[in-house]
Amino acid sequence: QVQLVESGGGLVQAGDSLTLSCQVSGRTFGTAVMGWFRQPPGKQREFVAASSWNNRIDYANSVKGRFSISRDNDKNTFYLQMHSLKPEDTAVYYCAAADSPATPYKDWGQGTRVTVSS
């Protein structure tokens, strides 16, 4: 059974930092494309960042320079480090896995909520 479990969300103030974790089990992790997405209140889900097995990393323009992602292949865990948080970063954050850059994300976590107060 594939499971992606996010953790680390919470309520923070603008300017604070927060790190989200995504623990993956039941599927190949080392070669997977891992992504972070978020869904702000009342809006559609949007791309945040992604990491491919070959260390290619992509970020949404809205988070470049503030967010960074990393992965620990020994722990099957994917991280999203968020700095200089803004109220507009408030969202439910999801991690997702794809088998390759050419395939869609097929495995998703349940999400963790991040609320940034002004």
Side-chain angles (χ1 to χ4, degrees), residues 28-109:
T28 301
F29 179 80
T31 58
V33 175
M34 296 298 303
W36 284 102
F37 294 78
R38 66 186 182 185
Q39 186 165 16
K43 297 183 179 181
Q44 291 188 334
R45 187 169 58 196
E46 60 188 27
F47 170 79
V48 175
S51 166
S52 297
W53 64 272
N54 59 354
N55 291 324
R56 171 176 173 147
I57 296 178
D58 295 299
Y59 295 99
N61 288 335
S62 58
V63 305
K64 278 182 182 177
R66 299 188 300 120
F67 290 12
S68 62
I69 56 176
S70 60
R71 58 198 296 166
D72 186 333
N73 289 339
D74 290 333
K75 295 182 178 179
N76 282 10
T77 304
F78 185 49
Y79 302 97
L80 177 66
Q81 294 94 28
M82 305 183 291
H83 303 286
S84 302
L85 282 162
K86 304 176 181 180
E88 50 263 44
D89 295 319
T90 293
V92 178
Y93 284 73
Y94 299 89
C95 68
D99 292 334
S100 76
T103 58
Y105 289 95
K106 65 175 185 177
D107 298 313
W108 292 82

